Every structure is written in structure tokens, then in C-alpha cells.
Amino acid sequence: MRQSNENLRKAQKALLESEKLSALGRFSSGIAHEIRNPLANIYASAQYITKKLNLDEKMKRHFDVILKNSETANNIIKELLDFSSGKEVKLSSISLSKVINDAYNLVSIRCKEQNVNLKIDLDNSIPNLWLDESKLMQAFLNFITNSIESMKSGGDLNIISFQKNDFAYVKFIDTGTGISDTVIDKVMEPFYTTKPEGTGLGLSLSYQFIKQHNGKLEISSTPGKGTTITVIFPIHTIN
């Protein structure tokens, strides 16, 4: 009886989360489309003026601010549309080690610049999985970026993969500032962020991507010591 009640509670929670995400997705899509066109006009006009008019250095700096902030706003709109679109995954036979290695190559220079010691320890015996490489890469880069940003004075980031029973695991382990108990349950909620300039969509999108692959995403953290993100994929989906 107790187990039945627990299963019912989990099912109700999952349904509420699904309905909330659906409503937020519709809202985000509407807002994003309304903003995109006038924003594109602002960007195009500013770009035209900088090219056609003989501006002094002070005015050029002001228009550079307009262009840069327009690009930032457009990236936020792209995140909103990605969140709301629910696009189907494009599956292909992918090596987890390849995706991790590609992500490593993209962030290794940034890690060196910020004194982050990045190490990978990969189990290359994990069989290929049916995954959307682009979405998986986006999720992994988001996890890595969050880890780097949590280590302002440098630290360690270890990415490891291994298989256990019928599941493939990827762990992102950092020595950053960590996440408090009061926040950790909210970090994957859409639009929730502790960053002054964040949209709160990065982890939500990553969580969405992992779920689309029948995967699981787990986060554990100790304030002042670091955070571990664990991604789990079933291996038995491969024929």
C-alpha cells in the first residue's frame, strides 16, 4: 500500500511538471516570436548606421554596445525557442567517448585560461548508443560551462564514463562553490538561475535533452566543496 501511494505521488508530480513545462513552453514561444522581429530591426539599423555613416569613436562605441546587446538578446530568444519547440531528436549510432572528447577539445583552452584542471577518464568499451549528437553535445557543454563558472579561482573538473549493468554513466565532478540544499531542487526548473546574467534555461534544456534519450540526470552537491552531475543512459536500447 505504501509503495502504491509513493508511485501515485511520483506520477502526480511528473504530470504537474509536464503540464507546467508545456504551459511555459507556449508562453516562451509567444514572447520570443513577438520580440524577435523588432530586435532584428534594431540590430539591422544599428549595423547599417555603423557602416554607412562617418561616426566618431564615441558614437561607434555606443553602437557597438547596441549590436553586442542585440546579439545577447537574440541568443536568449534562441534559448526560449529551443525550450518551447520540443523538437524531435535525430538519433544516430554515437560513441559517448567521441562526444566527451569533442567537448574536451572545445573547452580545454578556456579551462587553461581560468586555471581549471580538466581531466577525462573514459571507458571506451561502452557500446555506441542511439543519441542525438548535437543535443548531447549541447547538454555536456552546459554542464562543463556551469562547472567552470563555479570555479572563479580555478579548481578541478573530472569527466568520467563507465558502464554498470545495462547502463552507461557519465559524471562531471567539479571542485566549485557547490549548491545549497535550498537551491538544488530548483536548478533544473525553467527560468530559475542564481547568475546575474543567466536565463535559467541551460540546465532545463539539458535535462529535457537527457529525458528525450530515455536518460536520467542526477545532481549532488556540497557547498564549498563542489558538484557532481551524473548522466545515465540505458545501453539495452541498442540492437
Side-chain angles (χ1 to χ4, degrees), residues 3-229:
Q3 185 63 43
S4 297
N5 288 336
E6 179 65 16
N7 290 339
L8 179 60
R9 186 187 68 80
K10 288 181 178 179
Q12 289 173 333
K13 183 179 179 181
L15 180 61
L16 286 172
E17 288 180 353
S18 177
E19 290 176 345
K20 181 169 68 174
L21 286 174
S22 179
L24 281 171
R26 291 193 298 271
F27 174 77
S28 300
S29 179
I31 292 293
H33 283 295
E34 289 294 326
I35 295 174
R36 172 168 266 184
N37 286 337
L39 180 63
N41 293 336
I42 292 171
Y43 184 87
S45 296
Q47 199 172 44
Y48 177 85
I49 290 172
T50 58
K51 289 181 178 180
K52 296 294 184 180
L53 299 184
N54 187 23
L55 304 174
D56 60 36
E57 288 303 315
K58 184 177 180 180
M59 289 301 297
K60 284 181 181 178
R61 286 197 298 271
H62 283 298
F63 274 96
D64 283 342
V65 170
I66 293 173
L67 290 170
K68 288 177 181 177
N69 280 278
S70 295
E71 289 175 352
T72 299
N74 193 57
N75 287 333
I76 293 172
I77 289 173
K78 184 180 181 301
E79 284 190 332
L80 286 170
L81 291 173
D82 285 344
F83 172 75
S84 64
S85 65
K87 293 178 181 177
E88 292 184 4
V89 293
K90 297 178 181 178
L91 301 178
S92 58
S93 180
I94 296 298
S95 162
L96 275 179
S97 292
K98 178 185 180 301
V99 178
I100 295 169
N101 274 311
D102 288 347
Y104 174 89
N105 291 330
L106 288 173
V107 300
S108 58
I109 294 177
R110 180 180 179 186
C111 286
K112 288 179 181 178
E113 290 175 344
Q114 296 190 213
N115 296 317
V116 172
N117 183 28
L118 175 61
K119 291 184 178 179
I120 54 177
D121 181 11
L122 308 181
D123 180 354
N124 293 317
S125 69
I126 297 174
N128 282 11
L129 305 177
W130 287 105
L131 302 169
D132 185 316
E133 185 171 3
S134 176
K135 288 192 174 184
L136 191 62
M137 174 66 76
Q138 188 175 340
F140 284 4
L141 287 175
N142 183 268
F143 302 148
I144 293 169
T145 299
N146 283 346
S147 290
I148 294 172
E149 291 177 350
S150 75
M151 296 182 282
K152 300 295 185 183
S153 301
D156 297 317
L157 172 58
N158 296 321
I159 306 173
I160 63 174
S161 67
F162 60 92
Q163 54 183 316
K164 184 177 180 182
N165 300 325
D166 293 325
F167 295 90
Y169 290 74
V170 182
K171 286 183 175 285
F172 302 81
I173 307 167
D174 68 50
T175 57
T177 54
I179 306 169
S180 69
D181 292 339
T182 57
V183 170
I184 199 165
D185 289 336
K186 302 178 182 178
V187 293
M188 287 186 287
E189 292 182 2
F191 307 111
Y192 181 85
T193 182
T194 57
K195 301 176 185 177
E197 298 179 358
T199 62
L201 287 173
L203 272 179
S204 298
L205 278 172
S206 300
Y207 178 51
Q208 205 173 62
F209 294 161
I210 301 303
K211 283 176 62 178
Q212 285 178 312
H213 291 92
N214 296 316
K216 293 182 180 180
L217 181 62
E218 299 174 352
I219 301 180
S220 61
S221 188
T222 303
K225 292 187 177 180
T227 300
T228 297
I229 292 180

